[in-house]
Amino acid sequence: DAGVTQSPTHLIKTRGQHVTLRCSPISGHKSVSWYQQVLGQGPQFIFQYYEKEERGRGNFPDRFSARQFPNYSSELNVNALLLGDSALYLCASSLTTGTNEKLFFGSGTQLSVL
Amino acid sequence: RKEVEQDPGPFNVPEGATVAFNCTYSNSASQSFFWYRQDCRKEPKLLMSVYSSGNEDGRFTAQLNRASQYISLLIRDSKLSDSATYLCVVNMETGGFKTIFGAGTRLFVKA
């Protein structure tokens, strides 16, 4: 069975540009969440979506947005990129939403903003 | 103050040693607790959930003390393959779902 897949694996952008990251959850999983991980730190929660509805949002500016599609895949969009947005962006899927749900992570998209 | 704080590490231990990691959380509304493991340049993977009654999975034992808002992970008989970063994770649902990861504690197990 395929795990969580993310694309692209690496991306280089310049300040002010826009970026779209994509995630396909494990088959049968209906919830997707997004995280930003800077080197040397733990992942920071950005969003959780379940059944196309936003269920949670972390402390990120409005430049960050996301959506979930009917097939449960998801996109993370970041506008007006800043140097500080350079990080590993991780997507995780879970069967449903809820605090007891176990997260299964993709291998991430490494974003570099120059 | 960070919402989830872990021992800064790194921990350097010989094979066969017992090592304990500590984690504290600040929000009493926290509902579920986990330990994840992250190898260098890889994604985090679930190690185990943490329950108030304590739980064990082979060489790994996790404990939760809700009164002290404290979580621990004990690794017995350390193996070289245990070398990784261990992440303490807290979930809550107050005004929306939220997952909070600690910064992680790096473990090096040496032969």
Side-chain angles (χ1 to χ4, degrees):
Chain A
D1 282 345
V4 177
T5 56
Q6 292 187 242
S7 63
T9 54
H10 296 83
L11 202 51
I12 299 175
K13 292 285 188 178
T14 55
R15 280 179 297 174
Q17 285 189 313
H18 161 271
V19 68
T20 298
L21 310 181
R22 295 178 174 83
C23 173
S24 293
I26 291 171
S27 178
H29 284 198
K30 297 182 178 181
S31 181
V32 169
S33 49
W34 288 94
Y35 301 82
Q36 180 195 67
Q37 187 172 25
V38 174
L39 197 62
Q41 296 184 21
Q44 299 295 307
F45 174 69
I46 309 176
F47 289 109
Q48 190 198 59
Y49 276 78
Y50 174 67
E51 293 278 14
K52 297 179 290 179
E53 298 287 328
E54 182 185 298
R55 288 297 307 259
R57 171 186 285 254
N59 296 325
F60 280 81
D62 291 343
R63 299 184 296 107
F64 288 77
S65 63
R67 55 181 176 167
Q68 187 177 32
F69 298 100
N71 66 353
Y72 304 110
S73 67
S74 178
E75 284 183 353
L76 175 70
N77 294 285
V78 187
N79 292 324
L81 284 166
L82 303 174
L83 296 179
D85 294 331
S86 295
L88 178 67
Y89 288 84
L90 293 162
C91 171
S93 75
S94 56
L95 275 169
T96 65
T97 187
T99 57
N100 286 320
E101 285 297 311
K102 298 173 177 61
L103 300 173
F104 296 84
F105 284 86
S107 54
T109 294
Q110 184 66 54
L111 172 65
S112 298
V113 182
L114 305 179
Chain B
R1 182 185 174 189
K2 292 182 180 178
E3 291 185 272
V4 175
E5 295 202 62
Q6 297 186 236
D7 291 330
F11 283 43
N12 292 283
V13 302
E15 270 188 298
T18 295
V19 61
F21 300 136
N22 300 314
C23 172
T24 57
Y25 60 95
S26 61
N27 194 328
S28 59
S30 300
Q31 294 166 274
S32 302
F33 310 88
F34 306 87
W35 285 101
Y36 279 73
R37 169 196 168 127
Q38 186 171 28
D39 292 290
C40 192
R41 299 183 184 279
K42 298 282 190 179
E43 72 275 17
K45 292 185 179 177
L46 177 67
L47 182 63
M48 58 199 304
S49 303
V50 189
Y51 306 111
S52 297
S53 55
N55 49 305
E56 189 173 308
D57 183 3
R59 298 181 293 108
F60 298 83
T61 301
Q63 289 278 354
L64 166 65
N65 184 321
R66 284 188 183 269
S68 303
Q69 297 184 186
Y70 169 86
I71 305 159
S72 66
L73 177 68
L74 185 76
I75 305 175
R76 292 180 299 278
D77 189 22
S78 299
K79 311 292 185 190
L80 295 176
S81 58
D82 293 334
S83 297
T85 296
Y86 290 83
L87 297 160
C88 175
V89 182
V90 171
N91 281 349
M92 64 188 77
E93 193 147 15
T94 52
F97 180 88
K98 198 172 174 183
T99 297
I100 304 170
F101 280 74
T105 302
R106 190 79 171 91
L107 172 66
F108 294 95
V109 181
K110 299 183 178 180

